[in-house]
Amino acid sequence: MTSTTSAPPYRRPGLRVLRLFGQGPLFAVSVAVLALLVLVALLAPVLAPYDPEALDLSASLVGTTGDHLLGTDQSGRDILSRLLHGARTGLLGPLLVVGVSTLLGTLLGVVAAWRGGWVDTMLSRSMDLVFAIPGLLLAILLVSVVGSGLTAPVIAMSVAYTPYVGRLVRGIARQEKARPYIEAYRVQGWSGWTVCVRHLLPNIAPTVFAQSAMNFGYALMDLAALSFLGFGVQPPAADWGAMINEGQAAVLQGAMLPALAPSACIVLAVVAFGIVGEGLADRIAKRER
């Protein structure tokens, strides 16, 4: 009986996420890039050589110099300083989106899988309904009611991303629920809540973590797009999406860096998150074969 009541060794709740980080040089480089982005976001006030919102019209569209390593924008603001501070809003928004959507999606998915029946049907149809609504459209509608800024896009995108997580969690939770050790715990009188919290959730956590890494990159891109369209963070605040919008006029004047630099940061971050998420997913798939 003892062997049937313990989770299989490869599914134990004590599985360490760090064991998933063995995917080769590209994966390692991506992890390093993400760590660097987080460090830059945390230390932006210390690393930035200038105030990101300080105007200097006499230095408009200055090219790369010793004083301005990436030049300045149309208003004479230092591009490097704005990029460093933009990493804060660029990472904070997606972090909130992923955190809220993962929490709600995991809760809905586990409840749907565990209870089954009409509860599963109701929650699944509700998630399908939300899934059918484009996230960007939902964000634009909410911004029109609440107003522009970071709050409305984060709320809208959190709602839009919840079904993605919920459907994933529901699927893997149903598979996990069918395993013999789950039934063994229930036969011994363990409550459903205890089994879910102590065993089911820890065992599906690596897969959810991998999906969250990919969702982070998608959310970063969506929030940057909203800022670019004028529905997110508003100038003069430093934000990568807003910087691209402001840099469009500079491109017509032959200055590429005001728009190119934040675009490169977004692409780099999204690609890095995608590689990390795919790497984690591949490692989990190999471990479960």
Side-chain angles (χ1 to χ4, degrees):
M1 176 65 73
T2 303
S3 59
T4 60
T5 58
S6 60
Y10 57 90
R11 306 287 294 182
R12 289 185 186 280
L15 175 68
R16 296 184 179 181
V17 175
L18 289 178
R19 293 179 58 188
L20 299 173
F21 293 88
Q23 298 295 313
L26 186 59
F27 183 87
V29 170
S30 298
V31 172
V33 168
L34 297 184
L36 180 61
L37 285 176
V38 172
L39 186 63
V40 164
L42 293 175
L43 300 179
V46 178
L47 298 176
Y50 298 96
D51 182 345
E53 299 181 11
L55 303 179
D56 184 5
L57 297 179
S58 64
S60 176
L61 296 179
V62 170
T64 56
T65 65
D67 294 330
H68 301 284
L69 296 180
L70 294 179
T72 61
D73 61 11
Q74 303 94 305
S75 301
R77 296 171 296 193
D78 183 66
I79 294 177
L80 176 59
S81 299
R82 291 182 63 76
L83 285 178
L84 295 175
H85 281 268
R88 291 190 145 192
T89 56
L91 296 182
L92 176 61
L95 179 63
L96 295 174
V97 170
V98 170
V100 173
S101 62
T102 299
L103 179 62
L104 293 177
T106 300
L107 177 62
L108 294 175
V110 169
V111 171
W114 191 263
R115 296 299 300 272
W118 67 268
V119 175
D120 183 17
T121 302
M122 181 186 67
L123 292 178
S124 297
R125 297 295 79 80
S126 299
M127 287 189 287
D128 290 342
L129 178 63
V130 176
F131 184 79
I133 303 175
L136 291 178
L137 176 60
L138 181 62
I140 293 173
L141 292 175
L142 190 58
V143 167
S144 66
V145 176
V146 178
S148 58
L150 189 61
T151 302
V154 165
I155 294 175
M157 300 313 298
S158 297
V159 173
Y161 275 65
T162 295
Y164 289 92
V165 181
R167 294 169 71 176
L168 170 68
V169 171
R170 175 182 175 273
I172 58 178
R174 291 184 65 180
Q175 295 177 6
E176 193 69 21
K177 179 186 175 183
R179 293 183 177 273
Y181 78 91
I182 293 290
E183 184 62 27
Y185 283 126
R186 299 183 68 178
V187 169
Q188 291 183 8
W190 290 41
S191 67
W193 171 261
T194 302
V195 175
C196 285
V197 172
R198 294 186 58 179
H199 298 281
L200 190 146
L201 281 176
N203 285 339
I204 68 175
T207 302
V208 176
F209 181 77
Q211 182 62 43
S212 297
M214 289 186 283
N215 287 348
F216 200 108
Y218 301 146
L220 191 155
M221 186 166 50
D222 287 338
L223 292 176
L226 288 170
S227 294
F228 172 79
L229 295 173
F231 297 107
V233 178
Q234 299 296 299
D239 178 83
W240 291 343
M243 288 176 65
I244 298 174
N245 186 7
E246 295 176 301
Q248 289 183 102
V251 173
L252 299 177
Q253 303 178 46
M256 305 297 294
L257 281 176
L260 183 60
S263 300
C265 289
I266 293 174
V267 171
L268 182 65
V270 171
V271 170
F273 275 111
I275 292 174
V276 170
E278 290 289 350
L280 293 176
D282 289 344
R283 181 58 182 265
I284 293 170
K286 292 178 181 178
R287 178 171 57 82
E288 293 180 343
R289 288 175 185 172

